Amino acid sequence: MAIDINHTLDYPPAKVWEIIGDPGRADWVTGVTAIEFDGEVRRFKMDGAGDLAERIVTLDHEKMHIAYSVIESAAP
């Protein structure tokens, strides 16, 4: 299953990428209480959702593109 979300933000792309282009930063994700990133996998602790792990598949700063796959989740 894939989820594709498109949303237009009223900010310059480079400013948005400073925030979401850093896989070790999750202060912009609601409910995240802690995050660890080892260079390949990032692990979240989330209020109400338990733990979650994502493998970063693509991180292209030039194209401002990030893709990831959820590899561990409390949700089915």
Coordinates of all heavy atoms in Angstrom, one line a residue:
M1 N 0.8 -1.2 0.0 CA 0.0 0.0 0.0 C 0.9 1.2 0.0 O 1.9 1.3 0.7 CB -0.9 0.0 1.2 CG -1.7 1.3 1.4 SD -3.0 1.4 2.6 CE -2.1 1.3 4.1
A2 N 0.5 2.2 -0.7 CA 1.2 3.5 -0.8 C 0.3 4.6 -0.4 O -0.9 4.6 -0.7 CB 1.8 3.7 -2.1
I3 N 0.8 5.6 0.2 CA 0.0 6.8 0.5 C 0.7 8.0 -0.2 O 1.9 8.2 0.0 CB -0.1 7.1 2.0 CG1 -0.8 5.9 2.7 CG2 -0.8 8.4 2.3 CD1 -0.7 6.0 4.2
D4 N 0.0 8.7 -1.0 CA 0.6 9.9 -1.7 C -0.2 11.1 -1.2 O -1.4 11.2 -1.4 CB 0.4 9.7 -3.2 CG 1.1 10.8 -4.0 OD1 1.9 11.5 -3.4 OD2 0.8 10.8 -5.2
I5 N 0.5 12.0 -0.6 CA -0.2 13.3 -0.1 C 0.4 14.5 -0.8 O 1.7 14.6 -0.9 CB 0.1 13.4 1.4 CG1 -0.6 12.2 2.2 CG2 -0.5 14.7 1.9 CD1 -0.2 12.2 3.6
N6 N -0.4 15.2 -1.4 CA 0.0 16.5 -2.1 C -0.7 17.6 -1.4 O -1.9 17.6 -1.2 CB -0.4 16.4 -3.6 CG 0.4 15.4 -4.3 OD1 1.6 15.6 -4.4 ND2 -0.2 14.4 -4.8
H7 N 0.1 18.6 -1.0 CA -0.5 19.8 -0.3 C 0.4 21.0 -0.7 O 1.6 20.9 -0.6 CB -0.5 19.6 1.2 CG -1.1 20.7 2.0 ND1 -2.5 20.9 2.0 CD2 -0.6 21.7 2.6 CE1 -2.8 21.9 2.8 NE2 -1.6 22.5 3.1
T8 N -0.2 22.1 -1.0 CA 0.5 23.3 -1.3 C 0.7 24.1 -0.1 O -0.2 24.4 0.6 CB -0.2 24.1 -2.4 OG1 -0.4 23.3 -3.6 CG2 0.6 25.4 -2.8
L9 N 2.0 24.5 0.2 CA 2.3 25.4 1.4 C 2.7 26.7 0.9 O 3.3 26.9 -0.2 CB 3.5 24.7 2.2 CG 3.2 23.3 2.7 CD1 4.5 22.8 3.3 CD2 2.1 23.3 3.7
D10 N 2.4 27.7 1.6 CA 2.7 29.1 1.3 C 4.0 29.6 1.8 O 4.1 30.6 2.5 CB 1.5 30.0 1.8 CG 1.6 31.4 1.2 OD1 2.2 31.6 0.1 OD2 1.1 32.4 1.8
Y11 N 5.1 28.8 1.5 CA 6.4 29.0 1.9 C 7.4 28.7 0.8 O 7.0 27.8 0.0 CB 6.8 28.2 3.2 CG 6.0 28.6 4.4 CD1 4.8 27.8 4.7 CD2 6.3 29.6 5.2 CE1 4.0 28.1 5.8 CE2 5.5 29.9 6.3 CZ 4.4 29.2 6.6 OH 3.6 29.5 7.6
P12 N 8.5 29.3 0.7 CA 9.5 28.9 -0.3 C 9.9 27.4 -0.1 O 10.1 26.9 1.1 CB 10.7 29.8 0.0 CG 10.2 30.9 0.8 CD 9.0 30.3 1.6
P13 N 10.0 26.6 -1.2 CA 10.4 25.2 -1.0 C 11.6 24.9 -0.2 O 11.7 24.0 0.6 CB 10.6 24.8 -2.5 CG 9.7 25.7 -3.3 CD 9.8 27.0 -2.6
A14 N 12.7 25.8 -0.3 CA 13.9 25.6 0.4 C 13.6 25.7 1.9 O 14.3 24.9 2.7 CB 15.0 26.5 0.0
K15 N 12.7 26.5 2.4 CA 12.4 26.7 3.8 C 11.7 25.5 4.3 O 12.0 25.0 5.4 CB 11.6 28.0 4.0 CG 11.4 28.3 5.4 CD 12.7 28.8 6.0 CE 12.5 29.3 7.4 NZ 13.7 29.6 8.1
V16 N 10.8 24.9 3.5 CA 10.1 23.7 3.9 C 11.0 22.5 4.0 O 11.0 21.7 4.9 CB 8.9 23.4 3.0 CG1 8.2 22.1 3.3 CG2 7.9 24.6 3.0
W17 N 11.9 22.4 3.0 CA 12.9 21.3 2.9 C 13.8 21.3 4.1 O 14.3 20.3 4.6 CB 13.6 21.3 1.6 CG 14.5 20.1 1.5 CD1 15.9 20.1 1.5 CD2 14.0 18.8 1.3 NE1 16.3 18.8 1.4 CE2 15.2 18.0 1.2 CE3 12.8 18.2 1.2 CZ2 15.1 16.6 1.1 CZ3 12.7 16.8 1.0 CH2 13.9 16.0 1.0
E18 N 14.2 22.5 4.6 CA 15.0 22.6 5.8 C 14.4 21.8 7.0 O 15.1 21.2 7.8 CB 15.2 24.0 6.3 CG 16.1 24.9 5.5 CD 16.1 26.3 6.1 OE1 15.8 26.5 7.3 OE2 16.4 27.2 5.3
I19 N 13.1 21.7 7.0 CA 12.4 21.0 8.1 C 12.2 19.6 7.8 O 12.6 18.7 8.5 CB 11.1 21.8 8.4 CG1 11.3 23.2 8.9 CG2 10.3 21.0 9.4 CD1 10.1 24.1 8.9
I20 N 11.5 19.3 6.7 CA 11.1 17.9 6.3 C 12.2 17.1 5.7 O 12.2 15.9 5.6 CB 9.8 17.8 5.5 CG1 10.0 18.5 4.1 CG2 8.7 18.5 6.2 CD1 8.9 18.2 3.2
G21 N 13.3 17.8 5.2 CA 14.4 17.1 4.6 C 15.4 16.6 5.5 O 16.4 16.0 5.1
D22 N 15.2 16.8 6.8 CA 16.1 16.2 7.8 C 15.4 15.1 8.5 O 14.5 15.2 9.3 CB 16.4 17.3 8.9 CG 17.3 16.9 10.0 OD1 17.6 15.7 10.1 OD2 17.6 17.7 10.8
P23 N 15.8 13.8 8.2 CA 15.1 12.6 8.7 C 15.3 12.5 10.2 O 14.5 11.8 10.8 CB 15.8 11.5 8.0 CG 16.6 12.0 6.9 CD 16.9 13.5 7.2
G24 N 16.2 13.2 10.8 CA 16.3 13.2 12.3 C 15.5 14.2 13.0 O 15.5 14.3 14.2
R25 N 14.7 15.0 12.3 CA 13.9 16.0 12.8 C 12.4 15.6 12.7 O 12.0 15.3 11.6 CB 14.2 17.3 12.1 CG 13.4 18.5 12.7 CD 13.8 19.8 12.0 NE 12.9 20.8 12.5 CZ 13.1 22.1 12.2 NH1 14.0 22.4 11.3 NH2 12.2 23.0 12.6
A26 N 11.7 15.7 13.7 CA 10.3 15.3 13.6 C 9.4 16.2 14.5 O 8.3 15.9 14.8 CB 10.0 13.9 14.0
D27 N 9.9 17.4 14.8 CA 9.1 18.3 15.6 C 7.9 18.8 14.9 O 7.0 19.4 15.5 CB 10.0 19.5 16.1 CG 10.7 20.2 15.0 OD1 11.2 19.6 14.1 OD2 10.7 21.5 15.0
W28 N 7.9 18.6 13.6 CA 6.7 19.0 12.8 C 5.6 18.0 12.7 O 4.6 18.2 12.1 CB 7.2 19.5 11.4 CG 7.9 18.4 10.6 CD1 9.2 18.0 10.8 CD2 7.4 17.5 9.7 NE1 9.5 17.0 9.9 CE2 8.4 16.6 9.3 CE3 6.1 17.3 9.2 CZ2 8.2 15.6 8.3 CZ3 5.9 16.3 8.2 CH2 6.9 15.5 7.8
V29 N 5.9 16.8 13.2 CA 5.0 15.7 13.2 C 4.2 15.6 14.5 O 4.8 15.4 15.5 CB 5.7 14.3 12.9 CG1 4.7 13.2 12.8 CG2 6.5 14.4 11.6
T30 N 2.9 15.8 14.4 CA 2.0 15.7 15.6 C 2.1 14.4 16.4 O 2.1 13.4 15.7 CB 0.6 16.0 15.2 OG1 0.5 17.2 14.5 CG2 -0.3 16.1 16.4
G31 N 2.3 14.5 17.7 CA 2.3 13.3 18.5 C 3.7 12.6 18.7 O 3.8 11.7 19.5
V32 N 4.7 13.0 18.0 CA 6.0 12.4 18.2 C 6.6 13.0 19.5 O 6.8 14.2 19.7 CB 6.9 12.7 17.0 CG1 8.4 12.3 17.3 CG2 6.4 12.0 15.7
T33 N 7.0 12.0 20.4 CA 7.6 12.4 21.6 C 9.2 12.2 21.6 O 9.9 12.8 22.4 CB 7.0 11.7 22.8 OG1 7.2 10.3 22.6 CG2 5.6 12.0 22.9
A34 N 9.6 11.4 20.7 CA 11.1 11.1 20.6 C 11.4 10.5 19.2 O 10.5 9.9 18.6 CB 11.6 10.2 21.7
I35 N 12.6 10.8 18.7 CA 13.0 10.2 17.4 C 14.5 9.9 17.5 O 15.2 10.6 18.1 CB 12.7 11.2 16.3 CG1 13.0 10.6 14.9 CG2 13.4 12.5 16.4 CD1 12.6 11.4 13.7
E36 N 14.8 8.8 16.8 CA 16.2 8.4 16.7 C 16.4 8.1 15.2 O 15.6 7.4 14.6 CB 16.5 7.1 17.5 CG 16.5 7.3 19.0 CD 16.7 6.0 19.7 OE1 17.2 5.0 19.1 OE2 16.4 6.0 20.9
F37 N 17.5 8.5 14.6 CA 17.8 8.3 13.2 C 19.3 7.8 13.2 O 20.2 8.5 13.6 CB 17.6 9.5 12.4 CG 17.9 9.3 10.9 CD1 17.3 8.3 10.2 CD2 18.9 10.1 10.3 CE1 17.6 8.2 8.8 CE2 19.2 9.9 8.9 CZ 18.5 9.0 8.2
D38 N 19.5 6.6 12.6 CA 20.8 6.0 12.6 C 21.5 6.2 11.2 O 22.5 5.5 10.9 CB 20.8 4.5 13.0 CG 20.1 3.6 12.0 OD1 19.7 4.1 10.9 OD2 19.8 2.5 12.3
G39 N 20.9 7.0 10.3 CA 21.4 7.1 9.0 C 20.7 6.3 7.9 O 20.8 6.6 6.7
E40 N 19.9 5.3 8.4 CA 19.2 4.5 7.5 C 17.7 4.3 8.0 O 16.8 4.4 7.2 CB 19.8 3.1 7.4 CG 19.1 2.2 6.4 CD 19.8 0.8 6.3 OE1 21.0 0.7 6.7 OE2 19.1 -0.1 5.8
V41 N 17.6 4.1 9.3 CA 16.2 3.9 9.9 C 16.0 5.0 10.9 O 16.9 5.3 11.7 CB 16.2 2.5 10.5 CG1 14.8 2.3 11.2 CG2 16.3 1.4 9.5
R42 N 14.8 5.5 10.9 CA 14.4 6.4 11.9 C 13.3 5.8 12.7 O 12.4 5.1 12.2 CB 14.0 7.8 11.4 CG 12.8 7.9 10.5 CD 12.5 9.3 10.1 NE 11.5 9.3 9.1 CZ 11.1 10.4 8.4 NH1 11.7 11.6 8.7 NH2 10.2 10.4 7.5
R43 N 13.4 6.0 14.1 CA 12.4 5.4 15.0 C 11.7 6.5 15.8 O 12.4 7.3 16.3 CB 13.1 4.4 15.9 CG 13.7 3.2 15.2 CD 14.4 2.2 16.2 NE 15.0 1.1 15.4 CZ 14.3 0.1 14.9 NH1 13.0 0.0 15.1 NH2 14.9 -0.8 14.2
F44 N 10.4 6.4 15.8 CA 9.6 7.4 16.5 C 8.9 6.7 17.7 O 8.5 5.6 17.7 CB 8.4 7.8 15.6 CG 8.8 8.5 14.3 CD1 8.8 7.9 13.1 CD2 9.0 9.9 14.4 CE1 9.1 8.5 12.0 CE2 9.3 10.6 13.2 CZ 9.4 9.9 12.0
K45 N 8.7 7.5 18.7 CA 7.8 7.2 19.8 C 6.7 8.2 19.7 O 7.0 9.4 19.6 CB 8.5 7.3 21.2 CG 9.6 6.3 21.4 CD 9.9 6.1 22.8 CE 11.0 5.1 23.0 NZ 10.6 3.8 22.7
M46 N 5.5 7.7 19.6 CA 4.3 8.5 19.3 C 3.2 8.3 20.4 O 2.9 7.2 20.6 CB 3.8 8.3 17.9 CG 4.8 8.5 16.8 SD 4.2 8.2 15.2 CE 3.1 9.6 15.0
D47 N 2.7 9.4 20.9 CA 1.6 9.4 21.8 C 0.4 8.7 21.1 O 0.0 9.1 20.0 CB 1.2 10.8 22.3 CG 2.1 11.4 23.3 OD1 2.9 10.6 23.9 OD2 2.1 12.6 23.5
G48 N -0.2 7.7 21.8 CA -1.3 7.1 21.2 C -1.2 6.1 20.1 O -2.1 5.4 19.7
A49 N 0.0 6.1 19.5 CA 0.3 5.2 18.3 C 1.4 4.2 18.6 O 1.7 3.4 17.8 CB 0.6 6.1 17.1
G50 N 2.1 4.3 19.7 CA 3.2 3.4 20.0 C 4.4 3.8 19.2 O 4.6 4.9 18.8
D51 N 5.3 2.8 19.0 CA 6.5 3.0 18.3 C 6.4 2.7 16.8 O 5.5 1.9 16.4 CB 7.6 2.1 18.8 CG 7.9 2.4 20.3 OD1 7.5 3.4 20.8 OD2 8.6 1.5 20.9
L52 N 7.2 3.4 16.0 CA 7.1 3.3 14.6 C 8.6 3.4 14.0 O 9.4 4.2 14.5 CB 6.3 4.4 14.0 CG 6.2 4.6 12.5 CD1 5.3 3.5 11.9 CD2 5.7 5.9 12.1
A53 N 8.9 2.5 13.1 CA 10.2 2.6 12.4 C 10.0 2.7 10.9 O 9.2 2.1 10.3 CB 11.0 1.4 12.7
E54 N 10.8 3.6 10.3 CA 10.8 3.8 8.9 C 12.2 3.7 8.3 O 13.1 4.3 8.9 CB 10.3 5.3 8.6 CG 8.9 5.5 9.1 CD 8.5 7.0 8.9 OE1 9.4 7.9 8.8 OE2 7.3 7.2 8.9
R55 N 12.3 3.0 7.2 CA 13.6 2.9 6.5 C 13.5 4.1 5.4 O 12.6 4.1 4.6 CB 13.8 1.6 5.8 CG 15.1 1.5 5.0 CD 15.3 0.1 4.4 NE 15.0 -1.0 5.4 CZ 15.8 -1.4 6.4 NH1 16.9 -0.8 6.6 NH2 15.4 -2.4 7.2
I56 N 14.5 4.9 5.4 CA 14.6 6.0 4.4 C 15.1 5.3 3.1 O 16.2 4.8 3.1 CB 15.6 7.1 4.9 CG1 15.2 7.7 6.2 CG2 15.7 8.2 3.8 CD1 13.8 8.2 6.3
V57 N 14.3 5.4 2.1 CA 14.6 4.7 0.8 C 15.3 5.7 -0.1 O 16.2 5.4 -0.8 CB 13.2 4.2 0.2 CG1 13.5 3.6 -1.2 CG2 12.5 3.3 1.1
T58 N 14.8 7.0 -0.1 CA 15.4 8.0 -1.0 C 15.5 9.3 -0.2 O 14.5 9.7 0.5 CB 14.5 8.3 -2.2 OG1 14.3 7.0 -2.9 CG2 15.2 9.3 -3.1
L59 N 16.6 9.9 -0.2 CA 16.8 11.3 0.4 C 17.6 12.1 -0.6 O 18.8 11.9 -0.7 CB 17.5 11.2 1.7 CG 17.6 12.5 2.4 CD1 16.3 13.2 2.7 CD2 18.4 12.3 3.7
D60 N 16.9 12.9 -1.4 CA 17.6 13.6 -2.5 C 17.4 15.1 -2.2 O 16.3 15.7 -2.4 CB 17.0 13.3 -3.8 CG 17.7 13.9 -5.0 OD1 18.2 15.0 -4.9 OD2 17.7 13.3 -6.1
H61 N 18.5 15.7 -1.6 CA 18.4 17.2 -1.3 C 18.3 18.1 -2.5 O 17.6 19.1 -2.4 CB 19.6 17.5 -0.4 CG 19.6 16.9 0.9 ND1 18.6 17.2 1.9 CD2 20.4 15.9 1.5 CE1 18.9 16.4 3.0 NE2 19.9 15.6 2.7
E62 N 18.9 17.7 -3.6 CA 18.8 18.5 -4.8 C 17.4 18.6 -5.3 O 16.9 19.7 -5.7 CB 19.8 18.0 -5.9 CG 19.9 18.8 -7.1 CD 20.9 18.3 -8.1 OE1 22.0 18.0 -7.6 OE2 20.6 18.3 -9.3
K63 N 16.7 17.4 -5.4 CA 15.4 17.4 -5.9 C 14.3 17.7 -4.8 O 13.1 17.7 -5.0 CB 15.1 16.1 -6.5 CG 15.9 15.8 -7.8 CD 15.5 14.5 -8.4 CE 16.4 14.3 -9.7 NZ 16.1 12.9 -10.2
M64 N 14.8 17.8 -3.5 CA 13.9 17.9 -2.4 C 12.9 16.8 -2.3 O 11.7 17.1 -2.3 CB 13.3 19.3 -2.4 CG 14.2 20.4 -2.2 SD 13.4 22.0 -2.0 CE 14.5 23.1 -2.8
H65 N 13.4 15.6 -2.3 CA 12.5 14.4 -2.3 C 13.0 13.5 -1.2 O 14.1 13.1 -1.1 CB 12.6 13.8 -3.7 CG 11.8 12.5 -3.8 ND1 10.5 12.5 -4.0 CD2 12.2 11.2 -3.6 CE1 10.1 11.2 -4.1 NE2 11.1 10.4 -3.8
I66 N 12.0 13.0 -0.5 CA 12.3 12.0 0.5 C 11.2 10.9 0.4 O 10.0 11.2 0.2 CB 12.3 12.5 2.0 CG1 12.7 11.5 3.0 CG2 10.9 13.1 2.3 CD1 13.0 12.0 4.4
A67 N 11.6 9.6 0.4 CA 10.7 8.5 0.4 C 11.1 7.5 1.5 O 12.3 7.4 1.7 CB 10.8 7.8 -1.0
Y68 N 10.2 6.9 2.1 CA 10.5 6.0 3.2 C 9.4 4.9 3.2 O 8.4 5.0 2.6 CB 10.5 6.7 4.5 CG 9.2 7.5 4.8 CD1 8.1 6.8 5.5 CD2 9.0 8.8 4.5 CE1 7.0 7.5 5.7 CE2 7.9 9.5 4.7 CZ 6.8 8.8 5.4 OH 5.7 9.5 5.6
S69 N 9.8 3.8 3.9 CA 8.9 2.6 4.0 C 8.8 2.3 5.5 O 9.8 2.3 6.2 CB 9.6 1.5 3.3 OG 8.8 0.3 3.5
V70 N 7.6 2.1 5.9 CA 7.3 1.8 7.3 C 7.7 0.3 7.5 O 7.2 -0.6 6.8 CB 5.9 2.0 7.7 CG1 5.6 1.5 9.2 CG2 5.5 3.5 7.6
I71 N 8.6 0.0 8.4 CA 9.1 -1.3 8.6 C 8.7 -1.9 9.9 O 8.7 -3.2 10.1 CB 10.6 -1.5 8.4 CG1 11.4 -0.5 9.4 CG2 11.0 -1.2 7.0 CD1 12.9 -0.7 9.4
E72 N 8.3 -1.1 10.9 CA 7.7 -1.6 12.1 C 6.6 -0.6 12.6 O 6.8 0.6 12.5 CB 8.8 -1.6 13.2 CG 9.9 -2.6 13.0 CD 11.0 -2.5 14.1 OE1 10.7 -1.9 15.2 OE2 12.1 -2.9 13.8
S73 N 5.5 -1.2 13.0 CA 4.4 -0.3 13.4 C 3.5 -1.1 14.4 O 3.3 -2.3 14.2 CB 3.6 0.1 12.2 OG 2.4 0.8 12.6
A74 N 2.9 -0.4 15.4 CA 2.0 -1.0 16.3 C 0.6 -1.2 15.6 O -0.1 -2.2 15.9 CB 1.8 -0.2 17.5
A75 N 0.3 -0.4 14.6 CA -0.9 -0.5 13.8 C -0.7 -1.7 12.8 O 0.4 -1.9 12.3 CB -1.2 0.8 13.1
P76 N -1.8 -2.4 12.5 CA -1.7 -3.5 11.5 C -1.5 -2.9 10.1 O -1.8 -1.8 9.8 CB -3.1 -4.2 11.6 CG -4.0 -3.2 12.4 CD -3.1 -2.3 13.1

